[in-house]
Every structure is written in structure tokens, then in C-alpha cells.
Amino acid sequence: MNGSNLECRACCDVFPMIVTPVSRIEGGLKDTNLIVPTVQSQGLIQTDTVFLLTYKMPPAEDQPAPLVDSITVISDTTVEVKWHDHSPSRFHTFWLRYHCHCPDCKEVHSGMRRIHPDDVPKKLTLKTAEINDGFLVVVCHEEVHSIRQSLHWLKTFSYSKEDLKSRALERNVVYKTDDIASFEFDKICQSEDIYFEWLQAMDKYGLALIKNVPCEDGKVVEVGEMVAPVYETLYGKVFNVVSKAKVTNIAYLEVPLEFHQDLPYYESPPGLQFLHCIRLDPSVEGGANVFVDVFHVAEQLQREYPKYFETLLKVPATFQKIHDDGKRPSHFVYQRPHITVNAQGKVTGVFWNAQAEGPLQVPEEMVEPYYEAYFKFAALMEKSPSRIVYRMQQGECVTFNNRRMVHSRQAFKLNGGVRQLQGIYINVDDFKNAIQTQYLKRKSGQLVKRIGNQCYC
């Protein structure tokens, strides 16, 4: 850990808090009933696909509280805490009561809430509010209960405009326009630091390359499971991209593929996609992959063509996969807008696959505005400065965020040879869990970027 001063900063979907430097106060935290982070030890509990980190309570002197200048009751339902940096945070009685950290309200080890909404009085007016040994302690007129929160926790989850903005900025994505970050397969397997750098590259840039992966059937599963369990779809656990005559997907032809994301007709499309080139004969010509950061494109549309952007926020496209091949028939139809945003207007999701679009089913007055916006978005995609072209070689595995990167493929000719790729998917939230737990482990204070799972943070 760098430095001796601490503050907790939380990830929205991993329960424990991350530790980063700030001011120290004499005394620190003393109530071991509170669920707080520590750097002493950590464990991983898996229940189905949900992962929770658990931490032991550190000594009080290791958890100093942030300095507070004053505390003021500004209304019968609102208390204001003014921090030492002069920034104020206002907290409402219902919010404080529902998030009380006492052991009667919050289970000590899991951190899960023990109270039911009906347990909270429908009216809560402030009687007293004070700072006591690093905690805000509030009592209301309507019940005999001391509401307790650590100052660390309050600072971490402050919902002032300034604090919300600061946390949102930490999640801004980073755009890459130069070479793909590449890593050696053996080094990823042997070094936890290299493994972390690989995950971080996918978090920051949405794209990374692994070189010298053994060209073995199904090896891509082993690569994917270094991150999380493989996400099985209608294509099975592993899918082969190899040219053949009768196909259910045009990816199996030698023709070029347009920009797309895989499986947008799923309610939860795949997060990461891994493509492993297990055979590429010397006679094969062409077939380079092209990647574009579609978040970058969406933000460009938002800046330069706000009217078109708003149209793609509200008009739902139809994505579909309808085919009866006798063995595994499919009938997937899902309507959703192309772009989603959070409360601050930041892009949180983009869905694009022209080849998998069905008939537009919207009120007639929306049809023409939709196609105007649709064609502009497509044009910006083709000209995007985030465009990266790369022709995979045998033994390479490209790993990318299917929610953030659209990908295409240039035409190729086999000339009697073979071009074979094997692919798998990883659920987007499993990936988010994997990288956030790495940040926690390294005590970096980092938060996962907006990775396209439509989280509002």
C-alpha cells in the first residue's frame, strides 16, 4: 500500500471497498461490527455465478476516519457533513436508516441487509446527529434506534453532485488507435502481473492479443477460463469459424463481414469474445480483422449529431436469429435501442449488427428519423479514428470486449488451403468481476471502466 493515509472508495457491484489515500484522524474506527475493508486477508466465495469478497476487520489504528469540519442538521430529514476539504455531503434520514451498519440491520460477515422495507418507519425526522469515534450516529423521533455509519463509508458513498461526478470520471473509457496490446501466452500463465496487465488492457482499451497459444483443438476454452467460465450460447461452448458450403452464419463464408457485435438478439449478449487461430495455411490470402471502438463512435455522434443520437436512444431496432437447420433450430427476436446512457448521459451500451437485424417495428413517424440516424452512425463507424486492422497469424488469440468493440473481417481466398478459428464467449459481468477483484487485490483504488453492460455508474 502506498502511504499511510486511507480512504475507502467503492465499486458499485463488488461489495467490499477499495482503499486509496486521504487525510487521517486520531483514533480511527473502533466498532468491529461494521463491515469494512482490510488489506490483511481476503477470500473468494462463489455461489452460482455471484462472487463476493470478504475481509477481516483490521485494527482500529489502521482505519483512520476522514476529517470532518462540522455536522449540521439542515432540515428535519437532512443532515450535512462538511469534510475537511470543505466539500459538503448531505444525507437523508431514509437513506441513512436503510443503510444502517449496526449488527441488527446488517449481517456482519456477508454485509447483507437484515431489515425489511416494512421495518423502516414511513416518517423519520431527526432528533440528534453527532460524530462519535469515527462514526455518524443519528437518532430519529419515530423509533428507538441509533443509526450508525462509519465516516469512511459515508465519504465513499456520498451522493453529492461533486462526488458522483468524480466517480463517474474514474470510469471513463480510454481510446486506443495504435497497435493492439500483445502478450505471450506462457507469460500470462506464469506471471500474475502479466495476467493482470492482460485483463487491464481489455478493461481500458477493449482489445488485446495473445501470441503463441498452442494450436490445439479446444485450447481457447483453457484461455477463456483463466478469466471466468465459458458462456455457452446457441453455438455451443466452442464455435468453429471455418469455410463451408451450406452455412447458418455468413462468418463461415469467404466474403467480407460488416461491422457487428455477436448475438445482439440475446437479452445479455456475450461480453468478451476470444478467437484463436488454430490453422492458417500459407496459401490463404486476406481475411484481416478490423476493430472499431463503438463507444468512441457513439460519443462522436452525441457531440456532432445530438438529434441523431437521441433517436438511437429511444427507437428500438429489431435483432433476430431465425433459422431451422434441423439439428439446432433457433428463433431469437429482441428489440432494443442501439445506444443506452446513464443519468449523466454517458454511453453505457451499444448494440450493432446489421446482418442480424429484422424488420423495424415502430410507429410510422419514427421510421424515417430512425434510418437517418442509423445511416449516419454507420458512416461514422466506417471512418472512425479508433479503427484497428490486424491479420491474425496461426497460434494467436484475439481477446476483445464484444459489448464495446464492433469487429469486421476482410474477404479472403483459401486457394486450396484452410483457415480455421475457434471461439468462445465470456459473460460481461463475470469479466467485470475478474478485473475488479484484481484491482482490489492490488489495492490500486481503480474502478472498472464502463464496459458496456449498461450499468448506470
Side-chain angles (χ1 to χ4, degrees), residues 316-320 322 333-335 356-362 370-371:
T318 301
F319 296 101
Q320 67 179 38
I322 301 174
V333 179
Y334 199 95
Q335 286 189 304
E357 288 179 19
L360 187 66
Q361 298 286 283
V362 298
Y370 168 82
Y371 281 113

Side-chain angles (χ1 to χ4, degrees), residues 5-287:
N5 300 324
L6 303 174
E7 173 193 286
C8 302
R9 182 161 300 173
C11 159
C12 66
D13 38 15
V14 177
F15 168 73
M17 293 172 272
I18 305 168
V19 181
T20 52
V22 301
S23 304
R24 177 180 289 273
I25 190 173
E26 199 68 23
L29 301 181
K30 296 181 180 179
D31 189 340
T32 57
N33 289 322
L34 288 180
I35 302 301
V36 294
T38 180
V39 298
Q40 290 183 339
S41 63
Q42 65 183 43
L44 189 62
I45 301 172
Q46 180 176 350
T47 57
D48 294 327
T49 58
V50 178
F51 298 84
L52 299 174
L53 287 178
T54 59
Y55 293 83
K56 290 183 179 179
M57 180 69 186
E61 61 271 17
D62 290 341
Q63 287 294 320
L67 289 169
V68 173
D69 279 351
S70 65
I71 175 173
T72 307
V73 175
I74 61 174
S75 76
D76 61 354
T77 60
T78 310
V79 60
E80 180 181 87
V81 177
K82 184 167 286 187
W83 308 100
H84 192 56
D85 62 4
H86 306 298
S87 63
S89 298
R90 295 182 178 184
F91 302 99
H92 297 79
T93 53
F94 281 122
W95 189 90
L96 292 168
R97 178 65 184 90
Y98 204 50
H99 297 291
C100 179
H101 277 193
C102 82
D104 290 333
C105 298
K106 197 167 191 177
E107 206 282 321
V108 174
H109 297 290
S110 70
M112 299 180 74
R113 183 180 290 121
R114 298 181 65 175
I115 59 174
H116 188 275
D118 288 342
D119 297 334
V120 179
K122 299 304 179 281
K123 182 179 182 182
L124 284 174
T125 54
L126 286 165
K127 182 178 181 181
T128 63
E130 62 178 351
I131 301 295
N132 187 353
D133 286 334
F135 299 97
L136 173 66
V137 182
V138 169
V139 176
C140 294
H141 288 283
E142 289 76 13
E143 62 175 354
V144 181
H145 185 84
S146 292
I147 304 169
R148 296 172 62 86
Q149 278 97 6
S150 77
L151 295 177
H152 279 284
W153 190 89
L154 289 173
K155 183 62 176 172
T156 298
F157 291 100
S158 166
Y159 49 94
S160 69
K161 289 182 179 179
E162 292 76 13
D163 287 331
L164 290 176
K165 181 178 180 181
S166 176
R167 290 196 290 271
L169 287 173
E170 289 184 42
R171 294 186 179 278
N172 282 346
V173 296
V174 179
Y175 298 119
K176 189 175 182 65
T177 57
D178 52 3
D179 294 338
I180 304 174
S182 63
F183 304 87
E184 290 290 329
F185 176 69
D186 286 346
K187 291 184 178 179
I188 291 175
C189 297
Q190 297 165 3
S191 168
E192 192 171 349
D193 289 338
I194 301 300
Y195 169 75
F196 167 70
E197 290 175 10
W198 168 53
L199 291 185
Q200 189 177 43
M202 289 190 287
D203 178 36
K204 290 177 65 176
Y205 309 120
L207 176 67
L209 182 73
I210 306 177
K211 295 186 175 182
N212 295 311
V213 180
C215 296
E216 302 169 6
D217 184 59
K219 190 69 175 180
V220 69
V221 174
E222 179 183 325
V223 180
E225 288 182 343
M226 291 193 293
V227 180
V230 170
Y231 181 40
E232 190 165 351
T233 71
L234 80 157
Y235 294 109
K237 189 173 183 177
V238 180
F239 57 90
N240 279 278
V241 182
V242 59
S243 293
K244 50 187 177 181
K246 295 182 178 180
V247 301
T248 59
N249 191 308
I250 63 172
Y252 305 141
L253 300 176
E254 298 180 22
V255 300
L257 293 178
E258 302 302 323
F259 284 122
H260 66 283
Q261 295 158 307
D262 283 18
L263 282 61
Y265 38 81
Y266 271 52
E267 184 276 332
S268 182
L272 298 185
Q273 181 173 171
F274 290 27
L275 286 174
H276 179 206
C277 183
I278 63 173
R279 182 173 174 182
L280 185 66
D281 291 350
S283 63
V284 178
E285 300 177 35

